[in-house]
Amino acid sequence: MEEFLLASGYQLGKTIGEGTYSKVKEAFSHKHQKKVAIKIIDKSASPEEFIQKFLPRELQIIERLDHKNIIHVYEVLESADGKIYLVMELAEDGDIFDYVTHQGPLPEHRARTLFRQLVEAIQYCHGCGVAHRDLKCENALLQGRTVKLTDFSFAKQLPVGGRELSRTFCGSVAYAAPEVLQGVPHDSRKGDIWSLGVILYVLLCAQLPFDDTNIPQMLCQQQKGVSLPGHLGVSDCQDLLKRLLEPDMVLRPSVERLSRHPWLARP
Ligand SMILES: Nc1ncnc2c1ncn2[C@@H]1O[C@H](COP(=O)(O)OP(=O)(O)OP(=O)(O)O)[C@@H](O)[C@H]1O
């Protein structure tokens, strides 16, 4: 592995993370003259569905995306022994889950600065016809103060012009919309909007809005509506949270509407 990467211009460094079917390592790129992250996927150690369905989708999608708030993929390499290497921009400052764990609930202006960048990333994705389907704090990395969205392993390219109705459960239970949990046909973009609502709640409260240990109970909580954090008072922030965590997917706003919400426009 090391020789293959070296021959391709990358000096491998330490492991910085592990996913279900992947390992992520730091490397120095001689071509770019800077550090990069390399996600290594061993095809022989991954299940068939992942290799045949999800991985090709991920590779096809990430190579097309180019936005300041999305981890840039420089190239994808495959070695003769069946390993895939995703060479990516390195985010050296952790993810927003760790950030909130250390900082506690963020004041509104700091939550806004982070959240606005995620909204921009999703506005770009949905504009390209891509639904992320695994939005969570752990997939929002930090490079200084810049948020970089990553992990498009469940992402889906939506049909142009046509209506997409997915039934697949993807992502993390804690961030999943009611229609995703119930497996009713749904527009995956509306699922992304719900997950953004969960992320905003976590930024402001440093805890999840719904207890995800019991799914039937969680579905009831989602229908009743989120109990809004008291410290926010009656504000446009509360209004935004309520709109994002709207259990009826038809009433939930699109990312375009969300981007025009007054709370996001504040300095
Ligand atoms: N570009 C990057 N820069 C810095 N760290 C990264 C980068 N990409 C991934 N990581 C780190 O590596 C870990 C593993 O990432 P990966 O995308 O392979 O899987 P995951 O999302 O954590 O898990 P799963 O495969 O189960 O969805 C991440 O949690 C993150 O901490």
Side-chain angles (χ1 to χ4, degrees), residues 15-26 36-41 50 58 71-72 86-95 98 134 136 138-139 141-143 148-154 172:
T15 300
I16 49 177
E18 260 178 71
T20 318
Y21 311 121
S22 60
K23 199 169 250 184
V24 180
K25 286 178 174 274
E26 212 174 85
V36 293
I38 304 187
K39 179 165 166 173
I40 305 159
I41 301 153
F50 174 74
E58 178 180 7
I71 286 284
H72 186 71
L86 260 76
V87 183
M88 311 175 266
E89 194 179 357
L90 174 70
E92 292 193 83
D93 301 297
D95 60 50
D98 291 333
D134 193 15
K136 55 183 174 184
E138 293 87 333
N139 285 339
L141 304 180
L142 286 168
Q143 211 176 64
K148 299 270 182 181
L149 181 62
T150 191
D151 198 359
F152 284 76
S153 40
F154 288 127
S172 302

Side-chain angles (χ1 to χ4, degrees), residues 198-258:
V198 177
I199 294 175
L200 179 58
Y201 188 98
V202 174
L203 291 175
L204 293 163
C205 305
Q207 63 181 49
L208 288 164
F210 308 105
D211 174 9
D212 61 343
T213 53
N214 177 327
I215 295 182
Q217 234 172 56
M218 181 172 164
L219 278 165
C220 287
Q221 286 177 4
Q222 289 179 330
Q223 294 302 329
K224 266 200 279 177
V226 63
S227 67
L228 292 165
H231 69 275
L232 298 175
V234 180
S235 62
D236 49 1
C237 185
Q238 292 254 21
D239 177 76
L240 175 56
L241 272 173
K242 226 192 252 164
R243 287 174 195 271
L244 297 175
L245 297 175
E246 162 59 57
D248 184 342
M249 61 183 164
V250 178
L251 300 177
R252 208 176 301 143
S254 66
V255 74
E256 285 303 327
R257 251 182 70 201
L258 155 62

Side-chain angles (χ1 to χ4, degrees), residues 18-217:
E18 260 178 71
T20 318
Y21 311 121
S22 60
K23 199 169 250 184
V24 180
K25 286 178 174 274
E26 212 174 85
F28 183 78
S29 164
H30 294 290
K31 198 183 325 179
H32 303 97
Q33 280 299 301
K34 63 175 179 182
K35 286 203 271 184
V36 293
I38 304 187
K39 179 165 166 173
I40 305 159
I41 301 153
D42 183 356
K43 289 210 286 185
S44 64
S46 311
E48 204 55 28
E49 197 194 18
F50 174 74
I51 297 301
Q52 298 295 339
K53 187 173 165 189
F54 290 104
L55 185 60
R57 270 188 192 169
E58 178 180 7
L59 299 182
Q60 214 181 30
I61 288 171
I62 52 175
E63 284 189 290
R64 286 196 304 110
L65 299 178
D66 182 16
H67 188 270
K68 64 184 190 306
N69 298 117
I70 296 176
I71 286 284
H72 186 71
V73 175
Y74 297 115
E75 64 175 329
V76 180
L77 304 167
E78 184 164 2
S79 58
D81 62 352
K83 288 203 178 71
I84 304 229
Y85 302 90
L86 260 76
V87 183
M88 311 175 266
E89 194 179 357
L90 174 70
E92 292 193 83
D93 301 297
D95 60 50
I96 65 175
F97 177 80
D98 291 333
Y99 183 71
V100 172
T101 305
H102 286 114
Q103 303 280 325
L106 303 181
E108 273 187 52
H109 68 277
R110 272 173 53 210
R112 184 183 301 113
T113 308
L114 298 174
F115 188 69
R116 203 160 27 204
Q117 299 180 61
L118 272 178
V119 173
E120 281 184 33
I122 290 305
Q123 201 169 4
Y124 171 79
C125 288
H126 289 189
C128 295
V130 170
H132 185 280
R133 305 203 300 172
D134 193 15
L135 290 175
K136 55 183 174 184
C137 292
E138 293 87 333
N139 285 339
L141 304 180
L142 286 168
Q143 211 176 64
R145 287 166 181 263
T146 305
V147 176
K148 299 270 182 181
L149 181 62
T150 191
D151 198 359
F152 284 76
S153 40
F154 288 127
K156 189 175 177 192
Q157 179 72 55
L158 309 171
V160 183
R163 257 162 55 82
E164 175 259 358
L165 289 178
S166 175
R167 278 172 185 275
T168 322
F169 172 78
C170 290
S172 302
V173 169
Y175 292 82
E179 70 274 9
V180 179
L181 286 176
Q182 287 168 307
V184 293
H186 60 270
D187 175 341
S188 305
R189 285 166 292 201
K190 292 294 182 85
D192 280 349
I193 300 296
W194 175 279
S195 307
L196 283 175
V198 177
I199 294 175
L200 179 58
Y201 188 98
V202 174
L203 291 175
L204 293 163
C205 305
Q207 63 181 49
L208 288 164
F210 308 105
D211 174 9
D212 61 343
T213 53
N214 177 327
I215 295 182
Q217 234 172 56

